[in-house]
Amino acid sequence: MADTTRTTTDLWTYDHAVTGTDVSTQNVVGYGVEALDGSIGKVDEATYDAGSAYVVVDTGPWIFGKKVMLPAGTIRNVDHEDEKVFVDRDKEQIKNAPEFDEGIAYDSSYRGRLGSYYGPGGAGYRDRD
């Protein structure tokens, strides 16, 4: 059986096995985002930096208009035809993640807290099915 352990670096990297090689900043912004248990909003921003990629999701009315940052490794699939990004976390896990604040969001300490939350051993961690 293959080793499916994900490292902290993997968490910040798009998994090309599920997203294809064509995920980029330009082509997922505006896409709807689906958690395991329903819609959470739309991609407001995306990066494709090696080892530090993420999407910022505008949650609209779901969490009172707040935004959330999701490491690229939480994405399980991208459907370009329907313009949807599917993540392998449920709404509760996403809602309970460290709060996104644009003033500190790009700070390494915030990204460290987010990586600890979504990474192995964190409350928001989930093994790939």
Side-chain angles (χ1 to χ4, degrees):
M1 179 179 275
D3 180 13
T4 58
T5 304
R6 294 183 57 83
T7 66
T8 302
T9 302
D10 291 341
L11 185 63
W12 297 99
T13 302
Y14 291 101
D15 183 345
H16 295 297
V18 295
T19 62
T21 58
D22 59 347
V23 174
S24 72
T25 308
Q26 294 78 32
N27 67 12
V28 297
V29 172
Y31 281 24
V33 181
E34 297 285 326
L36 294 170
D37 53 354
S39 177
I40 62 166
K42 291 193 175 285
V43 176
D44 187 58
E45 178 184 343
T47 67
Y48 198 60
D49 301 331
S52 61
Y54 59 85
V55 295
V56 174
V57 179
D58 183 340
T59 64
W62 175 58
I63 311 180
F64 305 110
K66 290 189 177 185
K67 294 181 180 182
V68 295
M69 180 184 282
L70 295 171
T74 63
I75 296 173
R76 64 182 170 93
N77 191 23
V78 175
D79 184 334
H80 291 290
E81 188 172 314
D82 288 336
E83 296 189 350
K84 291 195 184 221
V85 172
F86 298 88
V87 297
D88 64 356
R89 302 299 192 276
D90 61 38
K91 288 180 173 184
E92 195 67 22
Q93 288 173 306
I94 295 166
K95 187 176 181 179
N96 291 331
E99 187 171 345
F100 179 78
D101 176 342
E102 291 191 47
I104 64 162
Y106 310 103
D107 181 86
S108 61
S109 66
Y110 171 74
R111 290 173 56 101
R113 288 193 312 275
L114 202 61
S116 293
Y117 177 80
Y118 283 118
Y125 179 71
R126 178 181 174 87
D127 262 331
R128 296 241 175 201
D129 293 332

